[in-house]
Amino acid sequence: LDGAAQAGLPAAALPLLREVFCPGLSDRQEEGEAFVPPESSPAYLDHLRKLLQVEREVSEARQELFRSPAFEAEDAGSLFPSSWTPAVRSQNARASLRRLAPGIAPPRPERLLRATAPVLDRQTEDGQRFRVYRAGSLEVRTVQRPDGEETLIAIFSVAAPHRNSPAAAVAAGDLDEVAKVTELVEADERTAAQAEGQGRARPHRFYVKVETAAGAVAFIQQQGSGGGIAWAEASAELEERSSLAKVTRSAQCRGSNLTVADVRRFHGEASQSSAACWSDYSRHLFDLVRAECPPTSDEEDSAQEAEQQ
């Protein structure tokens, strides 16, 4: 099938036979000159084409399932080898997977692939490798064909398994104690194209995440492109943004008697004094809240890292 070994074989059959005797799967490459190719009659070659078409269809169905949030490593289903399904399955609740919402820019996944060991790395009988990587609340899935390059086919944000009272369903009451406040920064994809066209640096947005002792989560963010500042209760899209954003600073507030009403008041003060600059507002609000919280080693470390960056 290579070079002089093609003698005696019809040219139309060579691509088909190379696929059948794929170097990554077939050990007949070791036979060298002793290799005897299969018969090349039209009927037999047509039979091989039909078999390969069935394999392609199975491969495509596997990839379609693998790129779906419905795929479960411990219950891969009949499309994948039975050896993938363990005899004893974990009783832990399954994490919820969501595709990244439109407009949310994923981080550079190639860095994650280089720096992270896969949590799933399995191979099918046709030589394809299916891998899953996780870093924080991000899940990346790839497929690699025999003698091919690893290809990214899906990126998800990972949410913790829902309990009886999911945090997203808990509204932040004014009297709720604030447990943690976090300042985050993310790429602003809405104005990125315009900035790049003008030769300016890629724009970023700062925002503040507030978590209460009762499990409620709220976000204080910019309202639209160049708009005002708004308080928003947690939503699936905001949680996805939070999972992909970079934390610049955080502070633990338990035991400070700081309430949501206090943060709302700080929100109003910071809005008035920093209306012209969203990043200044975010930092001002965080500083106002942090001043009411007891200092911790985690907060100091986070602030030092932010200053170094």
Side-chain angles (χ1 to χ4, degrees):
L1 299 180
D2 297 318
Q6 297 175 6
L9 293 173
L14 293 179
L16 175 67
L17 295 178
R18 288 195 186 103
E19 190 172 354
V20 171
F21 298 102
C22 172
L25 297 174
S26 175
D27 59 0
R28 298 199 62 185
Q29 296 278 333
E30 301 174 0
E31 297 179 14
E33 295 182 357
F35 174 78
V36 178
E39 64 174 287
S40 56
S41 66
Y44 187 75
L45 293 178
D46 185 59
H47 177 64
L48 287 181
R49 288 190 184 92
K50 291 179 180 179
L51 292 178
L52 287 174
Q53 180 59 33
V54 171
E55 287 188 357
R56 293 190 195 100
E57 292 173 357
V58 171
S59 176
E60 291 173 0
R62 284 172 170 170
Q63 291 195 30
E64 188 64 27
L65 175 58
F66 190 64
R67 63 165 52 96
S68 163
F71 174 82
E72 294 187 45
E74 293 192 350
D75 187 14
S78 58
L79 281 174
F80 292 91
S82 58
S83 59
W84 284 32
T85 303
V88 178
R89 301 182 188 179
S90 170
Q91 297 300 312
N92 295 332
R94 181 173 180 261
S96 175
L97 298 179
R98 292 180 58 86
R99 293 189 185 277
L100 299 187
I104 297 180
R108 297 174 182 173
E110 64 274 6
R111 293 183 178 180
L112 187 149
L113 302 185
R114 291 195 300 265
T116 308
V119 296
L120 174 73
D121 185 357
R122 293 178 181 168
Q123 186 173 358
T124 53
E125 76 287 341
D126 61 356
Q128 285 194 95
R129 301 194 75 90
F130 294 79
R131 298 185 179 95
V132 175
Y133 299 83
R134 279 193 178 178
S137 57
L138 193 69
E139 178 170 303
V140 176
R141 298 181 182 178
T142 68
V143 171
Q144 185 173 14
R145 296 183 180 276
D147 302 323
E149 295 184 356
E150 190 171 13
T151 304
L152 187 151
I153 64 171
I155 304 179
F156 300 97
S157 61
V158 184
H162 289 300
R163 300 178 180 178
N164 293 334
S165 299
V170 181
D174 283 348
L175 299 181
D176 287 352
E177 178 188 2
V178 175
K180 184 179 181 180
V181 61
T182 306
E183 182 189 62
L184 304 99
V185 62
E186 65 179 358
D188 188 353
E189 293 301 310
R190 297 172 301 180
T191 58
Q194 180 180 359
E196 292 176 357
Q198 297 174 352
R200 294 186 286 112
R202 195 178 184 87
H204 293 79
R205 289 184 297 184
F206 288 82
Y207 63 99
V208 177
K209 178 180 179 180
V210 179
E211 301 172 61
T212 73
V217 178
F219 295 84
I220 307 172
Q221 58 174 344
Q222 190 173 16
Q223 186 76 23
S225 179
I229 299 167
W231 177 291
E233 301 294 338
S235 66
E237 180 178 352
L238 289 173
E239 289 290 359
E240 287 178 2
R241 284 176 52 190
S242 178
S243 70
L244 298 174
K246 180 178 181 179
V247 174
T248 56
R249 296 185 292 174
S250 66
Q252 299 291 338
C253 303
R254 289 183 182 274
S256 65
N257 296 321
L258 184 72
T259 66
V260 171
D262 294 325
V263 178
R264 288 184 185 274
R265 176 168 54 84
F266 293 148
H267 162 48
E269 295 177 9
S271 299
Q272 295 176 1
S273 62
S274 309
C277 181
W278 173 245
S279 60
D280 287 346
Y281 161 80
S282 174
R283 291 165 184 151
H284 189 185
L285 174 62
F286 182 89
D287 289 340
L288 289 173
V289 175
R290 185 180 60 176
E292 301 295 323
C293 302
T296 65
S297 58
D298 290 344
E299 176 191 338
E300 294 170 356
D301 292 344
S302 178
Q304 291 175 359
E305 290 178 2
E307 290 175 0
Q308 292 173 359
Q309 295 170 357

